Amino acid sequence: MERSATRRPGDLDLDWLDRHAARLDPHLRRHVADTLQGGPRWPAWLKGPVSALRSRRARFAVIVQLESTPGPEHASVQLSAFCAELARLGCRRVRHHLILGAASAHVDLQVLRRLAADPRVRRVWLDRPVRALLDVAAPSLRAPSVWQAGWTGS
């Protein structure tokens, strides 16, 4: 359902979440919407100021994957420049992950909107704790065949 059809006075404009859905992780989209609109039902006269305050103060931990570039040397330079740009925009805890072709950072709402529209960005994920379960992870990496061959990692 389109958000604009149900928008009331004082609601934040979150249509950009739908416009850039292909680039934004579903968990991130839900987290942004819940952070900015969630909580108790506010009276109409208070909803606008509360939403504005939340949008200014909210920060989101994200992982940003860039579009692939030819050559590892070029990818390293591009990723370093992208991380420097994130730092200039006021992002916190900016780190680059060359093997993933991605950067992680704590970004505010305005930077998140810019990332969603940036053509250099392939995907933006919510950086959240995950647990790898060996019954799923090991077979997907073909680890049992490696273990049978005698490789144990020690």
Side-chain angles (χ1 to χ4, degrees):
M1 174 168 49
E2 189 70 25
R3 288 184 210 283
S4 59
T6 60
R7 188 177 300 142
R8 292 171 290 198
D11 283 351
L12 289 172
D13 174 23
L14 295 178
D15 289 339
W16 64 274
L17 287 172
D18 293 328
R19 282 194 307 273
H20 301 292
R23 285 191 179 155
L24 298 173
D25 170 44
H27 295 285
L28 177 61
R29 291 175 58 210
R30 190 175 318 113
H31 184 62
V32 170
D34 289 348
T35 299
L36 298 179
Q37 291 183 329
R41 290 282 180 200
W42 299 98
W45 61 273
L46 193 55
K47 187 167 184 164
V50 169
S51 295
L53 182 62
R54 282 184 174 180
S55 69
R56 273 190 239 118
R57 299 191 73 212
R59 286 207 171 259
F60 305 96
V62 296
I63 299 172
V64 183
Q65 184 180 23
L66 300 179
E67 289 291 342
S68 58
T69 57
E73 314 84 29
H74 187 65
S76 175
V77 170
Q78 181 188 22
L79 191 56
S80 295
F82 186 75
C83 287
E85 183 179 342
L86 287 176
R88 276 193 307 273
L89 291 172
C91 299
R92 298 179 185 155
R93 298 183 185 175
V94 178
R95 308 242 187 323
H96 68 283
H97 309 284
L98 186 57
I99 197 152
L100 301 174
S104 61
H106 288 217
V107 302
D108 62 19
L109 186 63
Q110 295 304 320
V111 173
L112 185 58
R113 288 180 75 152
R114 287 177 71 172
L115 290 173
D118 192 331
R120 298 174 295 175
V121 173
R122 175 182 288 175
R123 187 95 167 144
V124 184
W125 288 280
L126 179 64
D127 190 0
R128 60 192 176 100
V130 294
R131 282 186 287 196
L133 303 174
L134 282 180
D135 64 334
V136 176
S140 66
L141 298 172
R142 300 184 192 151
S145 61
V146 173
W147 294 333
Q148 287 175 351
W151 295 90
T152 62
S154 54

